[in-house]
Amino acid sequence: CKGSFSSSSQGQFRAGAIVVEKMIGSCETEFVDFVLTWYMPHFLGSSGKDISVHYTKHFRNASEVVEYAWEKRSQLLTETLEPRKALEESSLPSWFIRKLLDCRFVANTNTILAKDEGLFSVNESPTGMCGCLGTLDQRTCSGAYWTTFYPQLDASELHLLALRQSEAGCPPHDLGHGEFNPNRQNFTWPDLVAAYVIQVYRHFLRTGDSPFL
């Protein structure tokens, strides 16, 4: 295995390549596995506070991540495909299956699970709206995925929204911009009240979690 790297004239890293050399005979086939991993242990909020990320409880560096992922690669692939397989083999309406699968993509791209497990949220807009977390209105249409497959995370985000309820009883619009804001939010959009009631009731119907309710 050989590695090669190129630099700019200023000596800054620009690109890299890993090459594996093999002798392959006529009509032969060879497979080479490469693993790319990274380790980003910090999550800096807009105020500069570092709330870290949850996987630092299990991994100390990128090497440990790649060792775990490589050893369990078949299991991880199978388990990743299980929700889709279960949905497609179910008797659910096709429109609902599509909806749940469409709502799934943010699980891989736009979610934040802090080192403190109580801090979980979907980032509605990482590059716009100043990183608005947990927006209550968008949860109304996308939250069914979390309620169905990750009820603990669903309950966690709903609870954080309850903590930001205004003194007048109005639910908040979000959990903060660029970081989790624990302060109450005085938002008066009437649809947010209905949105919160619907989502809490949906969670209860799916889970039967009376203490949460």
Side-chain angles (χ1 to χ4, degrees):
C1 181
K2 299 180 179 179
S4 63
F5 302 91
S6 62
S7 302
S8 68
S9 58
Q10 291 79 28
Q12 296 176 330
F13 173 79
R14 296 297 297 274
I18 297 176
V19 180
V20 173
E21 295 183 353
K22 283 182 175 286
M23 293 296 296
I24 301 177
S26 176
C27 298
E28 290 183 347
T29 301
E30 286 280 358
F31 293 91
V32 178
D33 292 307
F34 292 95
V35 180
L36 172 66
T37 187
W38 58 91
Y39 189 74
M40 299 177 65
H42 305 291
F43 180 85
L44 297 177
S46 53
S47 66
K49 180 182 179 182
D50 183 8
I51 61 173
S52 190
V53 290
H54 186 258
Y55 67 73
T56 58
K57 290 187 173 183
H58 305 282
F59 306 105
R60 293 173 295 179
N61 49 53
S63 296
E64 290 188 358
V65 174
V66 74
E67 288 170 9
Y68 175 86
W70 179 252
E71 179 184 345
K72 297 183 178 295
R73 60 192 183 280
S74 297
Q75 175 188 340
L76 292 171
L77 177 60
T78 300
E79 292 178 349
T80 300
L81 295 174
E82 276 181 357
R84 184 183 194 98
K85 184 173 182 290
L87 287 170
E88 291 178 341
E89 293 178 353
S90 74
S91 59
L92 293 171
S94 58
W95 66 266
F96 189 52
I97 293 174
R98 287 197 304 272
K99 171 181 168 49
L100 289 173
L101 291 175
D102 286 346
C103 291
R104 185 187 184 190
F105 85 95
V106 294
N108 306 321
T109 58
N110 288 33
T111 53
I112 296 168
L113 181 59
K115 194 169 185 177
D116 173 1
E117 295 182 44
L119 296 179
F120 165 79
S121 188
V122 177
N123 189 343
E124 180 183 359
S125 184
T127 57
M129 296 174 62
C130 301
C132 196
L133 299 175
T135 41
L136 187 49
D137 42 0
Q138 62 83 15
R139 275 189 110 264
T140 310
C141 59
S142 66
Y145 177 78
W146 302 103
T147 311
T148 303
F149 292 104
Y150 297 98
Q152 286 182 300
L153 295 178
D154 184 52
S156 175
E157 192 174 32
L158 286 170
H159 178 64
L160 290 173
L161 287 163
L163 295 178
R164 294 201 78 195
Q165 184 180 26
S166 74
E167 296 290 348
C170 297
H173 170 260
D174 54 75
L175 294 175
H177 290 76
E179 65 180 359
F180 290 92
N181 188 334
N183 299 319
R184 293 180 181 273
Q185 186 181 48
N186 188 26
F187 238 86
T188 56
W189 293 1
D191 61 308
L192 296 179
V193 180
Y196 192 74
V197 172
I198 289 169
Q199 291 176 58
V200 169
Y201 187 52
R202 178 178 64 195
H203 183 92
F204 173 69
L205 287 178
R206 296 277 177 84
T207 65
D209 190 347
S210 296
F212 166 80
L213 183 63

